[in-house]
Amino acid sequence: MAQLSKISFSNGLFAEAIQLETSTSMAFVLQRLGLEGQHPALVLIGGASKMSAVNLKRLEKLFVEVLAPIAQKWQAVVIDGGTDAGVMRLIGQARHATHANFPLVGIVPCGLAALPDQIATSSDAAPLEPHHTHFLLVPGSNWGDETVLMDDLASAVAGSASVTILVNGGEITWKEASQSVEADRPIIVIAGTGRTADILAAALHGNSEDERAASLAASGLVRAIDLDTGTETLAAMIDDIFAAKS
């Protein structure tokens, strides 16, 4: 049986954590999260610790003015990698800054989750972002072990009313993007944020020799907006996706 616990952060907030076993059913997870029934899902993938301070600063406005408000508007379940870095930190801080109450679920390999007041068991472990409402600790001790469950949770909670937002990103992001396409989940790439995002955005215009990017672009499920000029477009895209499937 999966182990349930409460995580207490130094900021005074709490999150419910579920340590999953391989056999844990998604129905059990949804019941424990209080997410039974259909809810739109927003899957957030991309850069973590390797994002530059400049990019993080540029992205703050997008998260505070677009992503957190639209998740709140639809009461969407936001799903990410849960650690206190990059896009995961940005959405946690944006949720707090906008006084939102949408569910924010971080999915982390249990061998890499540095829990508050506990000694990390791996030098690669990372602290959890303290504004998330729930964490799923999945079996594994490698980054990327969480990606399948991120996709499974989004599909289970939302049915077809879901979207993936891709910001920056490295090698694991390619895997996550491919899984979104396999699940028939649209991806919106935030161009101008570097690395995977910019390679994929270029492929949409036929300007990339990266085979992974070309394959994803050919799926018809990938669109891109520019970080500096596409804020209103991003909000409209997400609205359209959620409205069409609700």
Side-chain angles (χ1 to χ4, degrees):
M1 180 63 69
Q3 298 180 25
L4 311 178
S5 62
K6 290 281 187 182
I7 298 176
S8 176
F9 293 101
S10 60
N11 61 3
L13 297 178
F14 296 84
E16 182 171 303
I18 307 176
Q19 186 164 334
L20 303 182
E21 299 175 350
T22 304
S23 59
T24 305
S25 72
M26 190 55 63
F28 173 83
V29 171
L30 295 180
Q31 188 272 328
R32 292 304 306 174
L33 294 178
L35 297 176
E36 295 168 300
Q38 295 289 288
H39 305 264
L42 192 156
V43 181
L44 184 60
I45 63 175
S49 60
K50 293 184 179 180
M51 288 187 69
S52 70
V54 172
N55 264 345
L56 287 171
K57 188 65 177 177
R58 292 174 64 219
L59 281 162
E60 284 180 5
K61 182 177 180 180
L62 182 77
F63 278 73
V64 171
E65 296 186 1
V66 179
L67 292 178
I70 206 155
Q72 181 69 12
K73 171 184 176 180
W74 289 93
Q75 276 298 289
V77 179
V78 178
I79 301 166
D80 65 15
T83 58
D84 193 18
V87 295
M88 299 160 287
R89 177 183 292 168
L90 285 170
I91 191 60
Q93 292 180 342
R95 183 183 185 276
H96 176 70
T98 57
H99 307 287
N101 64 358
F102 58 83
L104 180 52
V105 184
I107 303 180
V108 191
C110 61
L112 294 172
L115 302 178
D117 302 321
Q118 293 188 19
I119 297 174
T121 58
S122 168
S123 59
D124 291 329
L128 304 181
E129 200 288 319
H131 299 98
H132 280 59
T133 58
H134 301 83
F135 291 94
L136 301 183
L137 305 180
V138 303
S141 56
N142 296 294
W143 296 117
D145 289 343
E146 73 280 9
T147 60
V148 171
L149 189 69
M150 288 175 66
D151 188 67
D152 288 347
L153 178 60
S155 296
V157 77
S160 58
S162 61
V163 62
T164 295
I165 307 298
L166 191 157
V167 181
N168 188 270
E171 284 301 311
I172 293 173
T173 304
W174 290 108
K175 178 182 177 182
E176 293 169 331
S178 294
Q179 289 177 173
S180 285
V181 167
E182 290 172 7
D184 201 33
R185 179 174 303 111
I187 299 174
I188 303 175
V189 176
I190 312 301
T193 58
R195 301 200 296 164
T196 303
D198 287 359
I199 294 170
L200 189 47
L204 292 171
H205 298 287
N207 298 325
S208 175
E209 297 181 358
D210 189 294
E211 292 183 3
R212 297 170 299 181
S215 176
L216 290 168
S219 71
L221 289 170
V222 182
R223 290 174 280 180
I225 65 101
D226 185 83
L227 174 61
D228 295 320
T229 61
T231 299
E232 292 183 4
T233 301
L234 175 60
M237 282 181 175
I238 298 173
D239 270 335
D240 288 345
I241 291 167
F242 287 167
K245 303 296 185 179
S246 61

